[in-house]
Amino acid sequence: DNGYAIQAGDNNQELYCYKDIPPGWKITAFKTFGNASDTVTFYAYDITDNTANADGNTGTLNGSEIGLATPIESSATNYVGIKINTNSTGDHLYGGYFKIEKI
């Protein structure tokens, strides 16, 4: 009701966020905002099997915008996500974005 953040309930939990890619677009970068500097890894997922491919470029929570080593184009069977490796219940995710470009 007043904004705030997402946080892990335990020091050993991780945070995940998933997003589908609009048809005709590709994801080229990502950025997250928070109060810590935890590692953030970008993944491309395929719903036809159980693969999750990590991009070669990782970022940090509240760090710079990270350009992907391999931009991900939309398809009927893929989506993307990020994994935030929190190490404290005091680590908060305020939000973030995936940068998209028209194919």
Side-chain angles (χ1 to χ4, degrees):
D1 59 350
N2 64 350
Y4 192 53
I6 297 171
Q7 69 187 64
D10 183 272
N11 291 343
N12 295 318
Q13 288 180 326
E14 300 145 341
L15 299 175
Y16 292 85
C17 174
Y18 304 102
K19 182 72 177 136
D20 53 345
I21 308 168
W25 294 81
K26 65 181 175 180
I27 295 186
T28 60
F30 71 94
K31 181 171 174 55
T32 55
F33 300 92
N35 71 337
S37 58
D38 300 319
T39 302
V40 179
T41 306
F42 178 92
Y43 287 91
Y45 298 92
D46 187 330
I47 65 170
T48 63
D49 55 30
N50 65 350
T51 57
N53 296 310
D55 189 73
N57 296 337
T58 59
T60 56
L61 186 61
N62 213 43
S64 302
E65 180 180 282
I66 302 299
L68 298 180
T70 305
I72 306 297
E73 293 186 8
S74 65
S75 79
T77 61
N78 73 346
Y79 64 101
V80 298
I82 56 170
K83 173 185 168 185
I84 302 168
N85 294 309
T86 61
N87 55 20
S88 168
T89 57
D91 296 347
H92 295 161
L93 169 66
Y94 302 139
Y97 62 81
F98 296 114
K99 185 175 182 180
I100 62 174
E101 296 178 7
K102 195 84 165 149
I103 296 176

